[in-house]
Amino acid sequence: MKKFIIALALMLGVSGVANASIMFEPYLGYETGKFSDPDGKGDGVNIGARLAYHTPIMLWLGLDGNLGISGNFKPDSGSVANSDMKRNSLYGVVGIDLPVLLRAWAGYAFMDDQKLDSPHNSTLKNKTYKVGVGFTGLPFISLNVEYIKAKVDKVDGGSLTGADDIQSENVMFSVSLPLNF
């Protein structure tokens, strides 16, 4: 009888997880971080969504699109002026839903542009990756934190042309609504 109960518990535990689905996860986030060359700080509000295929074994693969709503770049020195800045990016992501109310993911950007408005009027095209973790213990929502590391690959236009040594390290705090279909 004991073996039957153990086998039944295993079957019920696995059957609740063994379904593949499509995950759609819109999010709202606040990003903050630092830049080097020119040294400074940046922050911004982002909206985005992840669209992924969720496999039966807790793994998910998909795309993560991020659109900057508002943001600022504030240099540490007086030689470079403050500027409005917005990040627009598209990542390929792979993640895993852990059984302890946590999830983790990593992503690499196919496209990551940071647009600086007046006085710089430049677009930074970055090579970017990110890693994130989310807490899923609340009903319907996930509280997330992501580490985003970017290195400028190319600068288009404006006063920052040729400044290809720019790097940034950012942290984004977000709240999301993971939906599985």
Side-chain angles (χ1 to χ4, degrees), residues 50-169:
R50 283 182 270 277
L51 180 62
Y53 172 74
H54 203 281
T55 67
I57 55 170
M58 301 184 298
L59 183 70
W60 46 274
L61 306 162
L63 297 173
D64 181 344
N66 184 355
L67 179 65
I69 298 173
S70 67
N72 297 301
F73 170 70
K74 299 171 192 156
D76 290 341
S77 65
S79 63
V80 180
N82 290 356
S83 181
D84 290 338
M85 178 183 64
K86 296 177 184 167
R87 177 190 297 271
N88 298 318
S89 55
L90 180 63
Y91 293 88
V93 291
V94 60
I96 187 164
D97 291 336
L98 302 170
V100 290
L101 305 175
L102 290 176
R103 43 199 303 241
W105 61 91
Y108 181 77
F110 299 117
M111 178 203 73
D112 182 29
D113 297 340
Q114 288 177 297
K115 183 173 173 133
L116 293 133
D117 289 337
S118 181
H120 302 294
N121 298 320
S122 298
T123 300
L124 309 177
K125 298 192 179 288
N126 303 316
K127 288 186 178 179
T128 307
Y129 68 89
K130 68 178 179 176
V131 293
V133 64
F135 173 70
T136 59
L138 301 172
F140 304 114
I141 64 171
S142 177
L143 302 175
N144 311 307
V145 63
E146 294 177 324
Y147 171 76
I148 303 167
K149 174 81 171 169
K151 181 176 184 337
V152 171
D153 189 37
K154 182 179 176 188
V155 178
D156 286 340
S159 63
L160 295 178
T161 301
D164 294 342
D165 293 336
I166 301 172
Q167 294 186 29
S168 67
E169 294 183 20

Side-chain angles (χ1 to χ4, degrees), residues 11-42:
M11 285 177 43
L12 290 175
V14 171
S15 68
V17 182
N19 61 346
S21 63
I22 299 296
M23 179 184 74
F24 177 69
E25 181 179 10
Y27 62 85
L28 174 65
Y30 173 74
E31 181 179 348
T32 183
K34 62 181 179 174
F35 288 81
S36 64
D37 194 23
D39 293 337
K41 294 178 179 47

